[in-house]
Amino acid sequence: MMKNIKKDFPLFQNYKSLIYFDNAATTQKPQQVIDSIINFYTKHNANVHRGVYSFSETATTLFNNARKKIAKFINADVNEIAFTRGTTEGINLVALSWAEKNIFAEDAIIISQMEHFANLIPWQQFAHKKRVRLLIVPITNTGELDLKTYQDFLSNNKVKLVAITHISNVLGTRNDVEFLTQEAHKFGAKILIDAAQSVAHEKVDVKKIDADFLVFSGHKLLGPTGIGILYIKYAIAKDLAPVEFGGGMVKQGGFEKSTWLEFPYSFEAGTPAIADVIGLGSAIDYINENINFDALKKHEALLCSKLIDGLSKFPRIKILGPIEQLKKNGHIVNFVVDGIHAHDVAAYLDKHNICVRAGHHCAQPLHQVLDLDASVRVSFYGYNNEQEVEFFIQKIEEMLKKL
Ligand code: PMP
């Protein structure tokens, strides 16, 4: 059974009637995370890695402890995760560092039709610049990856990298990343997993997946904005040259030449987002203490089932994702309404204090494939409940009668 966690999130105390169904965009923050940031600024604020005075040492300890917690959370080693601003920056850094040195003209990169802009545009731009082929795995008519084409792409091209999402932020599809990784490795390709939509909803284990690169954002994981994680397998990270330079990453600096610290410090030039790192560490503590991933998955899938069953009664509504999969393990349900634009659906729901996302969700090419310009996305987290879904369905029914 999912524990009642809603009371831990102060935003819901301040807005009792709010129904927040936009968790794929960002999650709300528990008091514990907010307190840890306030606590840092009010009691421990100092820069890290620099001062010899005890205040700076405390700040450095808090910062380093957060890195240890976050690494453990995804079963990485502490020297395999670098702090970034988020998923987007993590992917760009892989393109600028590893890809720049290892992928050349006539090589290929595989992505999929269901990628967020963050995992599409960096590769598209890279492909243009380096004359690399970008191979795009299509989706099936149930919104899943076409695995046959994936395997064909791997066997017929010189694929150096597969960059693919764990869970689609539009369709809610959960990709079997362990299988995708095994296949990529069979052909000597590396794999990058965009875990932005999975890491808050299930145990993500970089070793079990055997990912080479894995990225996520803190703000979708109950943590603050502006902080994310770039995981790089040690065997790759140990030789990786940095792409940004400045304080905090130099081993030996001189006017003529300099040498660099090892990863992750080599990828963390300048003062890091100290309070946000500590805040993310606190989000991990909160999850470890309060969230059982099996119970969370069941709870969110139950909400998906209830929503899908409710919406399926209305012939004007079409659900876009893999319905059977979502009922088993989803947290995102996306739909369109015949005759009502997605923005108007969201605006109607907003009048009833329901927050949903409408648009192309930074996946415009996927919407082109689906022949749509926009869709409505409902995305759950553990603090949502069945009453909220019932109210949502009632409001949709009312809307369909009026519009
Ligand atoms: N990938 C996916 C699958 C996402 O859902 C998102 C956020 N919507 C991103 C990447 C980008 O995350 P961020 O904006 O935090 O960098």
Side-chain angles (χ1 to χ4, degrees):
M1 263 281 277
M2 180 73 210
K3 198 172 146 183
N4 178 5
I5 57 167
K6 198 166 185 175
K7 59 180 184 351
D8 302 336
F9 292 75
L11 190 116
F12 297 127
Q13 305 304 322
N14 291 327
Y15 300 96
K16 291 242 184 314
S17 63
L18 186 78
I19 298 186
Y20 186 74
F21 282 169
D22 196 17
N23 294 287
T26 197
T27 56
Q28 296 304 335
K29 320 302 171 199
Q31 189 69 50
Q32 195 168 317
V33 168
I34 300 166
D35 285 347
S36 75
I37 296 169
I38 295 174
N39 189 51
F40 174 72
Y41 282 127
T42 51
K43 300 201 181 127
H44 303 293
N45 182 46
N47 211 329
V48 292
H49 305 319
R50 286 161 173 74
V52 177
Y53 56 96
S54 58
F55 243 76
S56 172
E57 280 172 11
T58 307
T60 306
T61 305
L62 290 170
F63 182 80
N64 289 342
N65 286 346
R67 195 194 302 271
K68 283 183 203 154
K69 283 181 217 172
I70 300 162
K72 189 163 174 225
F73 183 66
I74 56 165
N75 196 21
D77 296 332
V78 80
N79 58 355
E80 291 179 312
I81 61 162
F83 293 118
T84 62
R85 279 184 290 127
T87 308
T88 305
E89 188 177 38
I91 297 169
N92 278 281
L93 283 173
V94 175
L96 292 169
S97 62
W98 181 84
E100 192 67 42
K101 292 267 155 47
N102 290 279
I103 308 182
F104 307 104
E106 308 314 322
D107 287 342
I109 296 175
I110 296 182
I111 60 166
S112 84
Q113 280 182 341
M114 63 172 85
E115 299 313 312
H116 185 280
F117 277 155
N119 197 31
L120 188 163
I121 313 286
W123 303 120
Q124 173 197 82
Q125 295 304 305
F126 182 88
H128 289 325
K129 189 174 72 183
K130 303 265 281 192
R131 289 192 299 113
V132 161
R133 302 177 50 221
L134 194 61
L135 305 172
I136 301 169
V137 180
I139 54 166
T140 64
N141 54 13
T142 53
E144 283 154 300
L145 282 184
D146 174 351
L147 294 176
K148 169 85 180 60
T149 305
Y150 176 63
Q151 286 168 316
D152 288 348
F153 280 168
L154 281 170
S155 35
N156 297 325
N157 298 278
K158 227 171 116 196
V159 179
K160 290 285 183 69
L161 180 72
V162 174
I164 225 139
T165 193
H166 195 176
I167 295 180
S168 159
N169 69 310
V170 177
L171 304 168
T173 314
R174 181 180 183 279
N175 294 321
D176 182 350
V177 287
E178 287 170 35
F179 172 78
L180 296 173
T181 302
Q182 273 168 26
E183 291 300 300
H185 287 170
K186 262 190 219 164
F187 292 91
K190 302 281 185 254
I191 189 160
L192 176 149
I193 308 294
D194 173 354
Q197 290 300 340
S198 58
V199 71
H201 300 271
E202 63 182 85
K203 178 78 192 157
V204 168
D205 180 328
V206 289
K207 296 214 165 64
K208 194 157 164 250
I209 299 170
D210 198 20
D212 298 297
F213 308 94
L214 185 136
V215 285
F216 61 91
S217 304
H219 69 95
K220 296 182 202 277
L221 182 64
L222 313 185
T225 50
I227 186 72
I229 295 296
L230 164 60
Y231 161 84
I232 306 185
K233 197 185 265 181
Y234 180 71
I236 301 169
K238 71 179 176 32
D239 303 318
L240 210 52
V243 289
E244 286 184 358
F245 304 90
M249 51 79 71
V250 179
K251 188 172 176 191
Q252 186 72 48
F255 282 116
E256 293 297 325
K257 58 178 188 183
S258 304
T259 55
W260 322 125
L261 294 173
E262 285 182 359
F263 189 87
Y265 306 105
S266 57
F267 271 56
E268 293 176 359
T271 298
I274 307 165
D276 302 314
V277 166
I278 292 168
L280 180 56
S282 170
I284 303 290
D285 286 338
Y286 178 84
I287 290 170
N288 288 339
E289 288 155 18
N290 295 285
I291 308 262
N292 169 310
F293 276 125
D294 290 337
L296 178 70
K297 252 263 133 132
K298 264 201 198 120
H299 179 74
E300 291 173 346
L302 174 79
L303 300 183
C304 284
S305 281
K306 206 172 168 89
L307 178 60
I308 290 169
D309 291 345
L311 294 179
S312 305
K313 287 186 304 207
F314 309 120
R316 285 171 71 190
I317 291 187
K318 183 170 175 241
I319 296 164
L320 302 178
I323 289 177
E324 291 317 312
Q325 195 195 103
L326 299 178
K327 285 181 160 187
K328 268 194 239 129
N329 62 19
H331 72 275
I332 293 173
V333 177
N334 209 296
F335 63 93
V336 285
V337 186
D338 186 24
I340 312 178
H341 193 276
H343 288 154
D344 296 329
V345 176
Y348 186 90
L349 294 168
D350 182 47
K351 283 197 211 131
H352 300 280
N353 289 329
I354 301 172
C355 312
V356 295
R357 177 91 187 261
H360 56 60
H361 321 292
C362 296
Q364 203 168 17
L366 172 63
H367 280 74
Q368 281 158 6
V369 169
L370 298 168
D371 201 17
L372 295 168
D373 73 327
S375 57
V376 183
R377 180 179 73 190
V378 172
S379 54
F380 297 120
Y381 195 64
Y383 38 63
N384 295 125
N385 59 45
E386 291 185 71
Q387 291 74 34
E388 292 176 337
V389 176
E390 282 158 19
F391 184 75
F392 178 91
I393 295 165
Q394 260 177 37
K395 292 299 144 196
I396 291 282
E397 187 162 19
E398 267 177 33
M399 179 194 74
L400 291 171
K401 282 185 189 142
K402 285 190 195 158
L403 304 179

